[in-house]
Amino acid sequence: MLSLPLPDMGFQPSSGLFTNIRSSDAKPNSEDCGTAIIVKAYPLGMVQVNNRVDEGNSRLEPCMGLDFDSADAAREFYGAYATRVGFRIRTGQLYRSRTDGSVSSRRFVCSKEGFQLNSRTGCPAFIRVQRRDSGTWMIDQIHKDHNHELGLADESHPPILQKRTPKAMKSSAEVSQTPKLKLTEVSQRPKFKLIEDVDNGHPCPSGVINVKRFKRGGDEGQFEAEPYAGLVFNSVDEAYQFYQIYADGAGFRIRIGQLFRSKNDGSITSRRFVCSKEGFQHPSRVGCGAFMRIKRQESGTWIVDRLQKDHNHNLDLQTGTHQKSYNVSKKFMDNVNGDENGGLDSLDVAKVTYGSPIRRARENNIASDWYQLLLDYFQTRQAEDTGFFYSVETDNGSCMSLFWADGRSRFSCSQFGDAIVFDTSFRKSNYLVPFASFVGVNHHKQPVLLACALIANISEESFTWLFQTWLRAMSGCRPKCIIADQDVAIQQAIMKVFPRTHHRFSMWQIRAMEQENLRSMTEEFKCEYEKCIYQSQTSVEFNTTWSALINRYALKENAWLREMSEKRESWVPLFLRGKFCAGIPINESLEPFFGTLLNAQTPIEEFISRFERGLARRHDEERKEDFNSYNLQAFLHTKEPVEEQCRRLYTLTVFKIFQNELLQCYNYLGIKTYEEGTISRYSVRRCGNEIEKHAVTFSASNITACCSCQMFEFEGILCRHILRVFNLLDIREIPPCYILHRWTKNAEYGTVRDIESGVSPQELKSLIMWSLRETACKFIEAGTTSLEKYKMAYEIMREGGIKLHWQR
C-alpha cells in the first residue's frame, strides 16, 4: 500500500495518474482525515479490484452493485475480467441526461454482440454501469452468458494497455522511487490510436491515398480546401481524407461519427465526421457541434448534404502539420469499424495498394454449404412435385443466386400474380441468410407465397437475373404492381425486366428515410409535410403545396427532397390510388409471410425445416378460410339484391369489405352535376360534411362508372360513392366487370382455362395437376371426418371415374 500526501482539493482518479475501483458497500474511514491520506493507487491503464468478501482478491467477477470511480474504470475492470474468461469487449450503447447532455449510463458488451460483422454472433453478454449522485458508477444490469465458445485470452488476444509513452524520460531517481506494481491485463484495443499515427505521419503498410483536388463550380483547377454543401466525393475515405486535411489546417482533430444504414441491404447511406470534442463521453470533450455529413447518391458518389463549421472551443493552429497525403491501413479501417458509433464499412472503402484500387470480382454472400443443402432439397421436392421449379445463377462457373417455386406457388401466381411484394427485409449487412420472397395476396386477403430466392449480392445483375427467372418460371406473368425497396439496383432491374410494371416503394423504408433526413426540421414543417403528402386530393393541389413548402423553408438544395419529389408516383398515396395493388395498404407493409420463423440469423441446419413449417402454417390458414367461405354465410344487413349477389360470389373476407362500403353509401348524398348524352357526373358527399366529397362519372351505354377516390382501381372492390350512384339509378346488380374473379370463392378454379393459350403444354399440365391435387386433398379431408362422409366421397369418386373412363 502506498502512502501519498494529496492536496486539499481531493483525489481525482479520472484526470490524474491514479485510478481506483471499490465495492459499493465500502465505507469511508473517519480516521483518514489528516494531511496524508492512505490511497490504493495504481498507474492509469492498470486496475486493482477490491472484493467485498476478500479484500485481496484481484479476480473479482462483475456483479450487481459493484461500484467504480469512473466509467473508464468500469470498462478496464470488465476488460480484465474478459481477458481472464476468454473474450473481448467493446463499448456499447450510452444514455445521456436530458438536462445537460452528460452520460448517465453506458454499456460494455462482448465484442461478438450484434450482427454487423461476420465475426459477431449476437452475443448477449454485457454489463451496464449507471452514474450515481455521488459521481461514482455502479453496475445496475449484467448478463454473463455468451452464445459462443470462449477461448484463452492469453493465447489468442495479447493484452493491450492504453497508456501513452511519456514524452520526457524519467530520471533514474524517479524510476527507483516508482513502486513496482503488478499489471492487470486489459483486453481493449485503442479506438483512435492509428488516427493519431496518421496525423503524425507514421507509415502504414497498405500504401498511400492521395487526396484529389476538389473544384467548386467553374473554378477550373483551383484547390478548394473549404467544405461546403454539395461537394461531391468518389468514396467515403476520400471524404474523410478531405475533412481531415481541412481540420488539420483549421486547428482541430476529427473522429468518425454516426452512420446510417439502409434497412433493405445494410449498406451505409450516410455518415458523419465530427470534431474530436463532440459529445461528453470524455472530460476532454465539450459537446462541440462541428461536423460534416456525406450521403450516398444513386451514382455511387457521396455528397456533403449537411455541414456545421462553428466550434464551441478554441482552435489550435498547427502550422506545418498539414499534409497532402495520408496513409490509410486496413487495420485502421478495422479499428474504426469496432468503434461504438460505427466505422467505415469495409464494403464501402476500396482496398488500396500504393494508391491504385484493386478490381474486385463479383461478390457472393451465400456460403457454399447453402448450395448443397438447397440443391438436395430441390431435387427431393421435384420428385414429389412435378411442378416444382428451380434455377441457379452462375458467374464464371461459380454458383451465385438461387430461385425456386413449387407447383402450388406457380399456380397461385396465375391467379394472384397481379400485385406482388418483393420482400428483401431479411437482408442485413454481413447477413447469414440473404433471403428474398415474392408474396401475393390471395382471395381471402392473406399473404400467399409465389416464389423464393437467395440473392448472391445486391447488384443490378443479381436482381435482373432474378426477375428474368421469375418470368420463365411463371409463364411470362408480369405483375401490374411490384412493391419493393427503393434500392438503385432493384429499380434498374425492374425497369429492365418489367418496363410496364409500376414500382411502389416500401413504406417502412420511406418512413425510415423521413426520420433520417427530416429529423432536424421543426414540428411545424413536419406537420405541413404530412398534410401535403397524405391529404392532397389532386396532383395540382400536391404540386402547389409541395412547391410552397420547399420555398417557405428554403429547401431547394435538399437533395433527398428533390429526389423524392421526382419519384412521387412511387410513394405518394395520391399517385398510387390509380395503381392496382390488391388493396395492400399504402401506409403499412404486408405481413411477413414466414413471420419470425425465418430471419437473417437462421442457422443453415434449421432453414429447410422452418421454411416448411411456415409454408404449412400458411396453407392451413388458407384451407380454413376456404372452408369458412363455402360453409358459412355472412348476415345480410340490407334487402338490396347487390348484397345478396356479392355474398354469393365473394369470399367472406372480401364480402365484409364490400358490405361495409354498401352500408356506408347510405350516409352520402348524390347530386347530378353534369350530363351529356350517355355520360353523367355526380357529386357524392358525406351528409353533414361539405369537405368530404368525390366525383363519380357514369356511362349509361355500358353501365360503367369511375370515382375520384379510385378505390376500385386500387383494390378491385367498388367504393361507397359508386354504390350510392348505382342506388340512385336503381341498378340492382353489380356489372360483371366489377366482380374480379380473384376475389371470388372459386378463384382457384377457371384460371387454368383462362391461360391455356399462353403456356406450353408441359406447363399447362403442371398447373392442372396441382389444381386437381389440391382439390383432391380437400376432398379427402372432408371424406375422412366420418364413415358416412367416407362412403359418400367414395361413391362420388367411383361415379366420377366412370365418366372419366378410368382404366382399372
Side-chain angles (χ1 to χ4, degrees):
M1 200 173 294
L2 181 65
S3 176
L4 294 175
L6 296 179
D8 294 338
M9 62 183 177
F11 174 62
Q12 302 292 336
S14 62
S15 59
L17 178 64
F18 305 106
T19 184
N20 182 39
I21 298 178
R22 63 180 180 275
S23 176
S24 62
D25 59 353
K27 299 180 180 180
N29 190 344
S30 60
E31 297 178 359
D32 297 335
C33 299
T35 57
I37 302 176
I38 304 300
V39 180
K40 295 179 180 178
Y42 306 94
L44 188 63
M46 313 172 192
V47 60
Q48 178 69 24
V49 182
N50 296 332
N51 194 329
R52 300 177 183 177
V53 179
D54 182 2
E55 291 281 289
N57 186 4
S58 63
R59 300 180 68 83
L60 178 67
E61 291 194 0
C63 60
M64 295 288 288
L66 194 58
D67 200 22
F68 304 91
D69 286 328
S70 65
D72 290 338
R75 177 182 171 119
E76 293 183 3
F77 164 72
Y78 194 48
Y81 163 74
T83 303
R84 294 197 310 271
V85 175
F87 66 97
R88 289 190 144 200
I89 68 168
R90 290 188 293 111
T91 302
Q93 194 173 12
L94 62 82
Y95 303 87
R96 296 182 180 278
S97 169
R98 293 186 177 180
T99 56
D100 59 359
S102 62
V103 178
S104 59
S105 66
R106 70 177 316 143
R107 289 160 50 102
F108 303 113
V109 302
C110 174
S111 62
K112 293 185 178 291
E113 183 265 352
F115 301 95
Q116 296 91 332
L117 300 175
N118 285 326
S119 60
R120 300 186 185 175
T121 61
C123 181
F126 77 96
I127 65 168
R128 192 182 85 163
V129 292
Q130 186 167 1
R131 189 184 64 195
R132 304 202 297 181
D133 293 339
S134 62
T136 60
W137 295 72
M138 182 184 70
I139 296 180
D140 67 334
Q141 290 185 15
I142 187 171
H143 190 98
K144 292 186 178 181
D145 297 333
H146 298 259
N147 64 359
H148 56 91
E149 293 183 0
L150 302 179
L152 293 177
D154 295 337
E155 296 176 3
S156 58
H157 306 302
I160 302 174
L161 298 180
Q162 293 194 79
K163 183 180 179 182
R164 298 177 182 237
T165 305
K167 294 182 180 180
M169 297 298 293
K170 293 183 179 182
S171 64
S172 58
E174 290 175 324
V175 172
S176 63
Q177 293 175 1
T178 303
K180 296 181 179 180
L181 301 175
K182 183 178 181 180
L183 303 184
T184 300
E185 295 174 348
V186 180
S187 178
Q188 175 183 349
R189 61 183 180 183
K191 297 177 185 174
F192 301 108
K193 179 179 179 182
L194 287 174
I195 292 181
E196 294 164 1
D197 289 346
V198 169
D199 291 340
N200 295 329
H202 295 177
C204 293
S206 65
V208 178
I209 298 178
N210 292 320
V211 179
K212 298 179 180 178
R213 294 183 177 271
F214 301 94
K215 301 173 183 177
R216 184 203 297 263
D219 298 339
E220 191 70 18
Q222 178 184 353
F223 180 79
E224 181 57 55
E226 287 277 336
Y228 60 91
L231 188 59
V232 178
F233 302 93
N234 291 322
S235 64
V236 175
D237 60 313
E238 189 175 87
Y240 176 80
Q241 301 282 338
F242 171 81
Y243 195 52
Q244 192 169 32
I245 291 177
Y246 165 72
D248 188 58
F252 67 97
R253 289 179 177 270
I254 67 171
R255 292 189 291 112
I256 305 295
Q258 193 175 15
L259 62 82
F260 299 92
R261 293 184 181 273
S262 168
K263 289 191 175 180
N264 64 336
D265 60 5
S267 63
I268 296 177
T269 57
S270 65
R271 68 170 318 129
R272 289 160 51 104
F273 305 120
V274 302
C275 174
S276 62
K277 293 183 180 292
E278 182 265 353
F280 300 93
Q281 300 94 325
H282 190 273
S284 64
R285 300 184 186 176
V286 293
C288 180
F291 73 94
M292 181 181 82
R293 196 183 85 159
I294 57 173
K295 183 179 179 182
R296 189 182 65 196
Q297 301 186 100
E298 289 186 6
S299 61
T301 58
W302 296 77
I303 186 171
V304 177
D305 68 331
R306 292 186 188 177
L307 181 67
Q308 174 61 258
K309 292 185 178 180
D310 297 334
H311 298 259
N312 64 354
H313 56 91
N314 295 328
L315 301 180
D316 181 20
L317 296 178
Q318 302 172 5
T319 307
T321 61
H322 177 81
Q323 299 177 4
K324 292 185 179 180
S325 64
Y326 288 80
N327 300 315
V328 180
S329 68
K330 187 178 185 300
K331 185 178 180 183
F332 161 65
M333 298 303 178
D334 291 341
N335 280 344
V336 174
N337 275 330
D339 180 48
E340 63 194 86
N341 294 321
L344 301 177
D345 196 309
S346 60
L347 299 181
D348 292 310
V349 181
K351 294 180 181 178
V352 175
T353 302
Y354 301 106
S356 302
I358 298 175
R359 292 183 176 271
R360 296 188 190 157
R362 188 174 165 199
E363 295 174 356
N364 187 352
N365 294 310
I366 306 175
S368 58
D369 293 345
W370 282 98
Y371 294 107
Q372 188 60 49
L373 175 76
L374 289 175
L375 289 176
D376 290 344
Y377 171 70
F378 295 161
Q379 292 169 3
T380 302
R381 292 289 288 116
Q382 260 192 341
E384 302 169 350
D385 179 3
T386 56
F388 190 91
F389 176 96
Y390 76 91
S391 181
V392 180
E393 180 195 18
T394 59
D395 182 52
N396 293 326
S398 300
C399 292
M400 300 293 284
S401 301
L402 297 97
F403 175 97
W404 72 95
D406 60 20
R408 177 173 187 153
S409 294
R410 298 174 72 192
F411 185 81
S412 296
C413 184
S414 67
Q415 310 161 77
F416 312 121
D418 43 12
I420 63 175
V421 177
F422 180 49
D423 185 2
T424 56
S425 59
F426 292 118
R427 293 188 295 130
K428 307 289 183 183
S429 60
N430 299 293
Y431 40 80
L432 299 178
V433 186
F435 181 77
S437 59
F438 295 84
V439 180
V441 178
N442 69 8
H443 51 323
H444 301 297
K445 288 276 189 174
Q446 296 171 316
V448 57
L449 186 66
L450 304 179
C452 296
L454 288 188
I455 305 173
N457 54 60
I458 56 174
S459 65
E460 182 181 338
E461 292 85 354
S462 292
F463 292 117
T464 299
W465 175 87
L466 198 62
F467 295 148
Q468 289 174 342
T469 306
W470 160 276
L471 289 178
R472 288 194 293 116
M474 304 305 175
S475 305
C477 173
R478 286 176 168 82
K480 297 177 182 177
C481 175
I482 180 169
I483 302 173
D485 293 340
Q486 186 185 357
D487 185 286
V488 176
I490 294 178
Q491 291 185 61
Q492 295 296 331
I494 289 176
M495 287 191 293
K496 184 182 298 183
V497 184
F498 303 128
R500 290 181 295 275
T501 297
H502 186 76
H503 180 190
R504 170 179 147 188
F505 296 158
S506 302
M507 184 50 63
W508 68 266
Q509 189 184 37
I510 296 295
R511 286 299 189 186
M513 294 171 67
E514 287 175 345
Q515 291 179 3
E516 174 189 344
N517 290 278
L518 305 180
R519 65 171 59 189
S520 62
M521 304 302 296
T522 63
E523 291 300 322
E524 181 182 5
F525 169 84
K526 293 178 181 178
C527 181
E528 294 183 34
Y529 172 85
E530 293 280 335
K531 184 178 179 180
C532 174
I533 299 299
Y534 299 105
Q535 295 185 22
S536 297
Q537 296 299 317
T538 65
S539 58
V540 174
E541 180 184 353
F542 174 84
N543 294 336
T544 303
T545 308
W546 182 272
S547 298
L549 188 67
I550 297 300
N551 292 331
R552 184 180 303 116
Y553 292 93
L555 296 172
K556 289 184 178 180
E557 301 303 321
N558 188 297
W560 182 78
L561 287 174
R562 185 168 58 249
E563 176 188 0
M564 298 310 293
S565 176
E566 294 171 354
K567 298 180 178 179
R568 64 189 69 179
E569 293 188 356
S570 293
W571 67 282
V572 177
L574 167 66
F575 299 98
L576 293 174
R577 291 175 189 164
K579 312 297 181 182
F580 182 79
C581 296
I584 299 173
I586 294 176
N587 292 332
E588 52 189 271
S589 301
L590 188 69
E591 177 189 359
F593 185 85
F594 292 97
T596 58
L597 281 174
L598 293 180
N599 55 52
Q601 288 76 47
T602 301
I604 183 173
E605 62 275 5
E606 298 180 18
F607 180 82
I608 297 299
S609 60
R610 291 191 185 187
F611 176 85
E612 293 282 5
R613 285 209 314 272
L615 203 56
R617 184 189 66 185
R618 290 296 188 182
H619 289 170
D620 289 342
E621 292 172 356
E622 183 176 348
R623 290 193 185 99
K624 289 177 183 177
E625 287 299 319
D626 282 339
F627 179 85
N628 291 339
S629 291
Y630 278 105
N631 294 280
L632 301 177
Q633 278 197 334
F635 181 77
L636 296 178
H637 292 285
T638 72
K639 295 183 179 180
E640 297 288 347
V642 294
E643 187 179 16
E644 172 59 37
Q645 174 195 9
C646 291
R647 182 177 71 167
R648 185 176 67 254
L649 296 175
Y650 283 145
T651 61
L652 276 178
T653 303
V654 176
F655 173 71
K656 289 178 182 178
I657 297 174
F658 171 83
Q659 188 179 54
N660 179 64
E661 294 298 313
L662 180 63
L663 294 176
Q664 289 294 330
C665 84
Y666 295 107
N667 296 324
Y668 286 76
L669 295 175
I671 303 174
K672 184 185 292 187
T673 59
Y674 171 86
E675 184 174 8
E676 182 178 348
T678 60
I679 305 298
S680 56
R681 185 173 299 160
Y682 293 81
S683 176
V684 182
R685 66 177 178 83
R686 189 176 183 86
C687 298
N689 189 341
E690 294 292 336
I691 299 177
E692 187 181 344
K693 58 183 178 181
H694 291 275
V696 176
T697 303
F698 175 75
S699 174
S701 60
N702 53 7
I703 318 297
T704 59
C706 62
C707 179
S708 60
C709 79
Q710 297 182 302
M711 177 176 172
F712 181 78
E713 288 78 5
F714 179 79
E715 192 165 359
I717 302 172
L718 283 179
C719 65
R720 60 194 67 178
H721 315 110
I722 292 179
L723 291 174
R724 184 56 182 160
V725 172
F726 281 180
N727 183 265
L728 292 173
L729 297 174
D730 199 28
I731 297 176
R732 306 178 66 81
E733 186 174 284
I734 302 296
C737 62
Y738 294 113
I739 304 291
L740 296 191
H741 182 75
R742 74 170 336 278
W743 296 131
T744 62
K745 295 178 183 179
N746 62 341
E748 58 191 30
Y749 306 112
T751 310
V752 173
R753 181 186 66 252
D754 296 339
I755 65 170
E756 283 182 4
S757 59
V759 300
S760 66
Q762 294 83 0
E763 291 171 332
L764 179 61
K765 182 178 180 181
S766 298
L767 294 174
I768 292 175
M769 184 177 298
W770 179 87
S771 181
L772 292 175
R773 182 185 294 131
E774 186 66 13
T775 304
C777 289
K778 296 177 182 177
F779 188 83
I780 293 171
E781 288 177 2
T784 55
T785 54
S786 67
L787 184 59
E788 290 75 14
K789 288 186 177 181
Y790 158 73
K791 293 178 179 179
M792 183 187 302
Y794 184 83
E795 186 62 25
I796 292 172
M797 291 178 66
R798 192 182 65 82
E799 292 177 1
I802 294 174
K803 294 180 180 180
L804 292 174
H805 305 289
W806 276 354
Q807 299 296 323
R808 301 299 297 269

